Amino acid sequence: MVYVRGGSFMRGDFARLLGIPGVTRITYNEDDKVVREITLSDSGSASTR
């Protein structure tokens, strides 16, 4: 059994938060326009090897 501890992280385009003059976007992926918090729960996985 492999245990993976859950946690949270921020995902998105951080250009505005970095405050770099003249830079409005760092990524061109439409899904990453908004900065959001992602939370994953603890999980476990069994291996048959």
Side-chain angles (χ1 to χ4, degrees):
M1 181 77 154
V2 176
Y3 173 76
V4 179
R5 189 175 81 201
S8 297
F9 63 95
M10 300 304 288
R11 176 193 168 145
D13 194 326
F14 290 89
R16 292 178 193 214
L17 296 175
L18 293 174
I20 303 170
V23 177
T24 57
R25 299 226 19 219
I26 294 174
T27 179
Y28 292 98
N29 188 351
E30 290 297 316
D31 291 342
D32 290 335
K33 283 170 113 176
V34 178
V35 177
R36 358 179 126 79
E37 182 177 20
I38 307 295
T39 301
L40 302 173
S41 60
D42 295 342
S43 65
S45 176
S47 176
T48 58
R49 289 185 157 198

